[in-house]
């Protein structure tokens, strides 16, 4: 796949320059589920300024948060610097970030299945294919138990579920969207935290809520999403009129 090939090239360039670089997030999750991602994100210890020196064509899409687009042979790869985040006063974006390690970056993410890294230029570990049940090119770096949750079909918040939901209340809807999309169950402690935070959706913009609803209700598993919205007390705050 062309996008994957170009993303591997970005990782190789960063490695040859002395940096740590991995595939990150949804593309890793989807490959481990045997799906074929169309977009590949890279996470690295290289800063945005460093990326500008290493790649000829870059575009800042969130330089304040360490996020750049690298354009390679007609493909755009999102490259983000590993980061840790401060409080989310607006319940959408952190007030401040600091560049950090891969471990800290994984632990600031929403759900364990979205917090996996993949080193696409390394050989798999000896037990990797047995653990995953699928052939993946590269070595998986799992710092939060995401592989076991993928295999068990569980949506689980990274670390403290209340803390993750307090940072961005839209994550309650994201939990439902991922669970219905993949046919997964929501971990009981995460589900209870979603119920506790359901009313706080009222502070989220209707545009952001609408985008999540559009994505989950436009999926073939929309009935499961609708049932989960009701069971978790998200239906009224998500569907209310302004």
């Amino acid at each position: 796949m062309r996008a994957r090939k170009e993303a591997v090239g970005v990782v190789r360039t960063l490695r040859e320059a002395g940096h740590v670089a991995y595939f990150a997030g949804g593309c890793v999750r989807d490959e481990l589920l045997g799906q074929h991602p169309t977009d590949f994100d890279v996470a690295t210890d290289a800063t945005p300024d460093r990326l500008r020196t290493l790649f000829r064509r870059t575009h800042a899409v969130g330089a304040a948060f360490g996020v750049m687009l690298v354009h390679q042979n007609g493909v755009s790869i999102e490259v983000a610097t590993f980061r840790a985040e401060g409080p989310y006063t607006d319940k959408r974006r952190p007030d401040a970030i600091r560049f950090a390690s891969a471990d800290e970056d994984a632990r600031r993410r929403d759900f364990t299945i979205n917090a996996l890294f993949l080193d696409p230029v390394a050989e798999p570990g000896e037990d990797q294919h047995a653990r995953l049940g699928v052939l993946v090119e590269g070595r998986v770096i799992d710092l939060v138990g995401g592989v076991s949750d993928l295999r068990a079909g569980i949506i689980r918040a990274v670390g403290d579920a209340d803390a993750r939901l307090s940072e961005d209340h839209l994550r309650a809807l994201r939990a439902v969207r991922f669970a219905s999309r993949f046919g997964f169950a929501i971990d009981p402690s995460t589900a209870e935290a979603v119920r506790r935070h359901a009313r706080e959706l009222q502070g989220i913009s209707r545009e952001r809520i609408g985008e999540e609803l559009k994505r989950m209700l436009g999926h073939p598993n929309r009935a499961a999403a609708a049932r989960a919205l009701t069971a978790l007390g998200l239906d009224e705050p998500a569907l209310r009129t302004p």
Side-chain angles (χ1 to χ4, degrees), residues 23-91:
F23 287 177
C27 64
V28 180
R29 175 199 67 218
D30 290 352
E31 283 203 343
L32 297 184
L33 289 171
Q35 301 179 8
H36 301 286
T38 56
D39 298 305
F40 288 82
D41 296 339
V42 172
T44 179
D45 63 354
T47 64
D49 285 344
R50 179 64 168 155
L51 293 172
R52 290 187 182 98
T53 69
L54 291 173
F55 298 97
R56 187 169 60 87
R57 296 184 61 218
T58 62
H59 176 68
V61 293
F65 295 94
V67 183
M68 302 286 286
L69 283 182
V70 173
H71 306 285
Q72 300 260 88
N73 300 315
V75 176
S76 296
I77 309 297
E78 186 173 288
V79 183
T81 307
F82 297 134
R83 68 180 188 263
E85 299 175 337
Y88 283 62
T89 301
D90 66 358
K91 306 305 179 185

Side-chain angles (χ1 to χ4, degrees), residues 102-113:
D103 182 77
E104 289 174 292
D105 190 87
R107 296 181 191 284
R108 59 96 185 166
R109 295 176 182 255
D110 54 3
F111 305 110
T112 60
I113 65 168

